[in-house]
Amino acid sequence: MKRIFIIAFFLLSASVSHAQYFSTGFQANLGVPVGDLKDVMDGSVFPEYTMSIYYRFPVKPIEVGFGIGYGKYGTELEKRTDLYPGFTDEMRLRRNNNLLTLMGIFRYNFESEKRIVPFLEAQVGANYFYTRYKIREFQFEEPIEEGMDFGDWVLGYRFGGGLKIPFKNRDLGHFEFKVLYHDSGPVDFLRKQDTEYRPDQGEGEFVYDIQRSPITMIQPGIGFIFTIGN
């Protein structure tokens, strides 16, 4: 999934590399759960790293774009000697809980002669929660086994606003700070403590305690955007 994330970004960047009024950038966000999700997550947060591409309309203070985000909201390592019947060597079982987001973006910029420019932003798209595992004998070896534990999609939206602070050379791009509110319908997902391995069942079995909740959170973020033609 990480490879898809990286390849998609560079393909999108390449497709507009010679076009005017485009920009592209990177943003780091931190999703702080609120409402029912806060109780479910019990203090855990949703980090997200987003790569985006924007198109700025030449005579209007409006931008539209697309963003791909990825975050790992839980990871757990178990060292076990009972994963395979008849083998007692210690194995490393690593499980990662991931969130992939695909969002269309609409942004309205408040035109200003001042250095700092405020904006409003709305996003709509999809969230994909998925949990994967890998079994290795040693930390840096190729996995003996890997696979998907669980995955689920849900539509979601975000809205909020922020500030743009231009680089010293304004034509190159800007830094930006923003805060968004994220909401979605109910979705099934796993936390890091929600998977149990029971070696005494058959040849060994994973048992999942699946959570279900709307994804409601506040997302502060910081990023940098580079202009691709002007």
Side-chain angles (χ1 to χ4, degrees):
M1 190 62 69
K2 291 181 182 178
R3 293 177 182 176
I4 295 174
F5 173 72
I6 295 171
I7 292 171
F9 171 73
F10 283 108
L11 287 177
L12 287 171
S13 298
S15 69
V16 300
S17 59
H18 299 291
Q20 290 186 335
Y21 307 112
F22 280 92
S23 59
T24 184
F26 174 86
Q27 183 112 17
N29 307 311
L30 183 65
V32 181
V34 296
D36 292 341
L37 184 62
K38 181 179 179 181
D39 297 331
V40 172
M41 294 304 295
D42 192 26
S44 297
V45 296
F46 291 86
E48 181 186 52
Y49 304 96
T50 301
M51 292 182 177
S52 303
I53 290 178
Y54 302 91
Y55 173 76
R56 174 175 56 86
F57 288 88
V59 294
K60 296 181 180 179
I62 293 173
E63 294 174 271
V64 294
F66 180 75
I68 303 174
Y70 169 78
K72 187 183 298 181
Y73 66 91
T75 183
E76 187 172 27
L77 173 65
E78 294 183 75
K79 296 181 180 180
R80 307 189 66 105
T81 59
D82 55 3
L83 289 174
Y84 299 106
F87 292 90
T88 58
D89 293 346
E90 184 177 82
M91 298 291 177
R92 299 169 57 91
L93 170 59
R94 171 71 71 180
R95 180 171 286 105
N96 293 322
N97 299 307
N98 310 279
L99 174 58
L100 177 71
T101 61
L102 307 170
M103 290 285 178
I105 303 169
F106 175 87
R107 177 179 290 184
Y108 182 87
N109 300 291
F110 292 93
E111 295 181 329
S112 172
E113 297 299 324
K114 299 181 180 179
R115 181 170 176 81
I116 298 177
V117 178
F119 63 86
L120 294 176
E121 184 169 303
Q123 302 184 12
V124 63
N127 304 282
Y128 180 47
F129 289 82
Y130 65 102
T131 299
R132 293 187 58 84
Y133 72 90
K134 292 183 179 181
I135 298 174
R136 293 183 171 96
E137 188 173 2
F138 300 105
Q139 182 175 1
F140 299 108
E141 287 190 342
E142 288 296 313
I144 297 171
E145 181 183 341
E146 61 181 308
M148 179 85 72
D149 282 319
F150 184 81
D152 196 16
W153 289 89
V154 67
L155 295 177
Y157 64 90
R158 301 169 177 169
F159 62 87
L163 300 171
K164 294 181 177 181
I165 302 176
F167 296 154
K168 186 173 182 180
N169 183 342
R170 299 175 67 98
D171 292 336
L172 295 180
H174 63 270
F175 297 103
E176 63 181 37
F177 304 87
K178 64 183 178 183
V179 178
L180 302 178
Y181 174 77
H182 182 288
D183 198 2
S184 79
V187 64
D188 294 335
F189 61 95
L190 294 172
R191 304 167 301 178
K192 67 178 183 179
Q193 66 267 39
D194 289 334
T195 304
E196 179 185 358
Y197 180 68
R198 298 180 181 176
D200 56 340
Q201 294 189 6
E203 295 185 353
E205 180 180 347
F206 291 113
V207 178
Y208 307 106
D209 181 17
I210 297 172
Q211 307 298 313
R212 184 171 178 82
S213 172
I215 305 304
T216 52
M217 53 188 173
I218 305 296
Q219 290 185 294
I222 182 172
F224 47 87
I225 306 297
F226 295 101
T227 302
I228 309 173
N230 43 61

